[in-house]
Amino acid sequence: MPNQLPNDARGPSLHQYRPHPDTIAISAGRPERRPDAPLNQPIVPASTYVGGDGTEWVGYGRYGNPGWSALEDAVGALEGGTALAFASGMAAAAAVFSSIPPDAVVVIPEHCYLGVASLAHEHAQRHGLTVRTVDITDTERVLAAADGARLIWLESPANPTMEVADLAAIAAGRPDGCLLLVDNTFATPILQQPIGLGSDIVLHSATKFLSGHSDALCGMLIFADGREELLEAAESARKLHGATPGVLEAYLVLRGIRTLSVRVRHAESTARTLAETLAEHPLVERVRYPGFGSMLAIELPDASAADTMINSLRLWVHATSLGGVESSLERRRRWPSELKSVPEGLVRMSVGLEHVDDLIADLRQALDLIT
């Protein structure tokens, strides 16, 4: 099973319990242990495979790769389900939307990743999907909106505004037949495992924290036990739409996962200090920090103040992505299509692994230049 260590890696008692996520991140997705075998899953750059006479063969490069399988084993083990790898987080999201009936109802956060909101509304315009938006912090309203819905789509913490949902309460209170998907990109399975809280599907933009080095595009879907029909539909969508990850990208993400725990915990400690420090600055009107993880956002008086700060930074990187070892940030409303409910002066911040004192010093000197 993907959430267990290989047979030869288990000690006399390891098979009796699920290892800690810190251990899973290191041990899962490894090749079989035998003399002179590689410790890491090698890259297999193959588009074509030799045919077989049974059912257990790949056949073609769009249908599978040993590198994908290793990555899927590791992520599935971390999240407690069965994983599928995709070319990007948006490819994974598109695979989910492609399986939703055209006349269905989907509930999404009022604040969520721009790409997901755009995808949902595109399906509404083209296919008749009904999209209901809700404040995910209001559990009663989420459950009310879920009446008659096929899917609740949650981000917790939400991107870019950092709201947190009560995942367990929503999972327990949703109506029969309504699926729950949780985008766990920001929290990572080190800090939060939505399937254990009742989610049917977990999504990751593996480009972000799972990879951790800003060098690979990849997405993941993880399905809870008993959701084989959802898994099969997503795998079919991956094959038919060609949304497969590159073999190098799969290798890089799996390599990044080996240090996921230490990266997340170090960055989380720094983020807490930054949140406390920034809350005391007179120009910072609000700090949005959910209390865990390494993502936060601050609100400055307006777009001009935010842009001045960003353009004056020397260490922080102005970039639209996140989750790398380098600390990055951006004013989300610089994108014309960003949700209008996101404040103009909101700056989303992804905390990396630099020393906290240097990150604070850079922010202070940039904030001091705002007039």
Side-chain angles (χ1 to χ4, degrees):
M1 296 292 292
N3 64 342
Q4 295 177 334
L5 293 171
N7 288 332
D8 55 1
R10 299 178 196 164
S13 61
L14 278 179
H15 69 285
Q16 297 175 4
Y17 69 98
R18 186 170 183 268
H20 192 281
D22 292 9
T23 300
I24 294 172
I26 301 297
S27 61
R30 298 283 187 180
E32 179 185 358
R33 287 188 183 180
R34 54 180 174 77
D36 289 331
L39 185 60
N40 297 307
Q41 170 59 47
I43 298 173
V44 181
S47 63
T48 307
Y49 298 85
V50 176
D53 56 4
T55 59
E56 299 298 323
W57 55 290
V58 176
Y60 185 56
R62 188 157 42 87
Y63 301 160
N65 183 276
W68 306 354
S69 297
L71 173 60
E72 290 166 349
D73 287 348
V75 176
L78 280 166
E79 288 286 8
T82 303
L84 286 178
F86 289 81
S88 65
M90 281 304 298
V96 174
F97 274 95
S98 72
S99 67
I100 299 173
D103 57 350
V105 175
V106 172
V107 179
I108 66 171
E110 63 179 352
H111 298 135
C112 64
Y113 175 53
L114 173 60
V116 168
S118 299
L119 184 62
H121 291 298
E122 179 184 85
H123 275 257
Q125 294 172 1
R126 292 189 176 185
H127 308 297
L129 190 73
T130 298
V131 178
R132 299 172 182 167
T133 59
V134 292
D135 175 359
I136 65 168
T137 66
D138 190 331
T139 299
E140 291 186 2
R141 289 191 177 182
V142 173
L143 295 176
D147 183 31
R150 170 61 177 168
L151 174 69
I152 302 171
W153 185 296
L154 297 178
E155 295 177 5
S156 186
N159 183 4
T161 47
M162 305 301 154
E163 291 99 345
V164 174
D166 187 338
L167 300 183
I170 293 171
R174 62 193 154 133
D176 291 342
C178 181
L179 301 172
L180 175 60
L181 179 149
V182 177
D183 185 331
N184 204 29
T185 298
F186 279 15
T188 83
I190 299 300
L191 301 178
Q192 175 176 272
Q193 296 163 16
I195 287 176
L197 299 173
S199 175
D200 301 290
I201 310 171
V202 173
L203 181 144
H204 280 275
S205 174
T207 306
K208 312 303 194 296
F209 290 100
L210 295 188
S211 171
H213 292 79
S214 306
D215 55 8
L217 283 174
C218 188
M220 304 294 304
L221 290 176
I222 306 94
F223 299 87
D225 291 345
R227 291 302 185 182
E228 285 75 18
E229 78 284 0
L230 303 177
L231 171 67
E232 291 171 2
E235 187 172 19
S236 177
R238 182 177 71 175
K239 291 178 180 179
L240 291 175
H241 301 161
T244 55
V247 294
L248 176 60
E249 285 75 9
Y251 175 87
L252 290 173
V253 175
L254 183 54
R255 184 177 68 170
I257 287 172
R258 302 309 184 201
T259 60
L260 178 63
S261 178
V262 291
R263 286 188 288 106
V264 166
R265 297 185 193 284
H266 179 95
E268 179 183 51
S269 175
T270 300
R272 287 174 177 166
T273 301
L274 286 172
E276 295 169 359
T277 302
L278 289 167
E280 297 175 355
H281 198 284
L283 283 175
V284 177
E285 296 185 341
R286 182 179 181 183
V287 174
R288 295 172 178 256
Y289 183 60
F292 64 100
S294 60
M295 296 295 302
L296 67 151
I298 61 173
E299 291 181 31
L300 296 176
D302 50 36
S304 176
D307 289 340
T308 296
M309 183 197 76
I310 289 170
N311 294 330
S312 303
L313 291 166
R314 302 163 184 166
L315 178 59
W316 288 78
V317 180
H318 184 203
T320 194
S321 194
L322 54 98
V325 295
E326 58 285 313
S327 294
S328 62
L329 77 179
E330 74 166 339
R331 185 175 70 85
R332 285 300 301 172
R333 285 291 297 277
R334 74 187 180 103
W335 299 101
S337 54
E338 180 58 88
L339 302 176
K340 303 308 178 188
S341 55
V342 174
E344 285 280 3
L346 183 142
V347 178
R348 185 188 67 191
M349 309 173 74
S350 171
V351 179
L353 304 185
E354 304 91 342
H355 196 281
V356 61
D357 292 347
D358 296 324
L359 293 172
I360 290 173
D362 195 29
L363 289 168
R364 281 177 171 161
Q365 66 83 23
L367 286 167
D368 289 345
L369 296 175
I370 298 174
T371 57

